[in-house]
Amino acid sequence: MKYRHLISPQTQTYQLPEPFSLESGEQLMDVEVAYRCWGTLNESGDNAVHICHALTGSADADEWWGPLFGEGRTFDGDRDFIVCSNVLGSCYGTTGPISLNPATGKPYGRAFPAITVRDMVRLQWRLLQGLGVKKLKFVIGGSLGGMQVLEWGKLYPDYVERIVSIAAAGRHSSWCIAISEAQRQAIFADPNWCNGNYEEDAPPTTGLAAARMMAMISYRATASFQERFGREIQEDGEFAIASYLRYQGQKLVQRFDANTYVALTEAMDRHDVSGGEGDYLAALGAIAQPTLVVAIDSDLLYPPRDQQELAQWMPNAQLEWLSSPHGHDAFLINMVALNELVMGFLNP
Ligand SMILES: CC(=O)SCCNC(=O)CCNC(=O)[C@H](O)C(C)(C)COP(=O)(O)OP(=O)(O)OC[C@H]1O[C@@H](n2cnc3c(N)ncnc32)[C@H](O)[C@@H]1OP(=O)(O)O
Ligand SMILES: N[C@@H](CCO)C(=O)O
């Protein structure tokens, strides 16, 4: 697996014993789920917690959410059995576009079937069944992770006691879809894209880097960039912000796959807790567990008004504000404050 060196050696693999049926009706064979766990499952199997990661995250939650781990914190391995699994469609160990298609013996690439956030959650549920988890104390995640959390609330009301949705939505807005589509078009415009059939040693890095640059603009906020970079010009004559964005683009292409990026952003765009057919507000209204909605006051992607609506339409939801100049990515930056908000919800 091309990105194996980027995931920790503690990552384990769960092999699904049966084919996995997708929402689309297609079936995936030989599905594998990469996951990490911390702590011990108790005899009754009811002290478990599941962490859902964001777009380019991995199962190594202690690496990207470190300050939330530890005694008396959100993730306390002495208290709970904590599981984080890599999502379906990712390139960090779970079956996705870089996996070998058993039917052809070659990587799926762009032929990987269309997946949904619901598919991701149903696969997580299968993993937890395999691990003997009888009940989840809570499920938590930000961004794409928060979308999974809302699906968890909808799909498994008797299995999940509480949910924590951070900087997320019950369905993608046209603004979010627009930003995703522009990113995908940057990838498709790369001559190396080859309709997704690129060689492993010649991926569409220019397009993927441009996509990440666009994404980074949407993950941060005007005040954050102004404060950090202003109109500073570096010694090389470049605007510091331009250099920063290009660096972020290069950083992602070292660690992520373009087909995976396309598949996961398409899944985010398809996301709709009503399943795309029913009444969206009624679907939110049916999520009745005690819920924490964490809203980031500077989030451009899932803005304050949408977060207020989300909390308003879920009957048992509490809205808390993570105040930050850093925009959407604040849930990966202002982690001490986030831990306090979550602890306030878990231990009122
Ligand atoms: C297998 C895996 O790696 S997956 C797990 C990790 N990733 C995830 O979970 C995904 C979510 N994480 C993220 O999106 C990001 O890592 C975040 C949001 C948490 C933080 O982003 P960062 O890039 O670390 O932070 P920040 O915006 O401060 O950028 C710092 C980097 O920009 C560089 N930089 C700053 N200014 C400039 C500039 N003017 N020109 C060029 N580079 C610059 C810094 O040197 C630094 O580089 P480094 O990352 O090599 O140390
Ligand atoms: N910065 C996040 C996406 C925004 O939540 C990631 O790269 O996964």
Side-chain angles (χ1 to χ4, degrees), residues 24 63 89 104 139 159 165 175 201-202 209 211 224 226 241 250 254 261 269 278 293:
S24 66
E63 288 182 14
T104 64
V139 57
Y159 190 74
S165 162
W175 174 256
D201 58 357
S224 173
Q226 189 57 34
I241 179 62
Q250 288 312 313
Q254 305 303 319
Y261 196 89
D269 289 351
V293 172

Side-chain angles (χ1 to χ4, degrees), residues 179 183 186 205-220 225 241-250 252 261:
I179 291 170
Q183 293 172 40
T205 49
T206 309
L208 181 58
R212 183 63 166 183
M213 289 169 70
M214 291 182 214
M216 285 305 294
I217 297 168
S218 73
Y219 295 157
R220 302 301 165 97
F225 279 169
I241 179 62
S243 162
Y244 167 80
L245 281 182
R246 282 204 306 277
Y247 179 76
Q248 291 290 339
Q250 288 312 313
L252 188 78
Y261 196 89

Side-chain angles (χ1 to χ4, degrees), residues 53-58 64 142-145 166-167 212 215-216 218-220 252 255-256 261 268 301-302 328-332:
H53 67 72
L55 174 63
T56 70
S58 65
W64 49 266
S143 198
L144 169 60
I166 306 160
R212 183 63 166 183
M216 285 305 294
S218 73
Y219 295 157
R220 302 301 165 97
L252 188 78
R255 71 172 183 91
F256 216 74
Y261 196 89
M268 289 171 80
L301 281 176
Y302 308 98
H328 177 65
D329 260 346
F331 75 95
L332 297 163

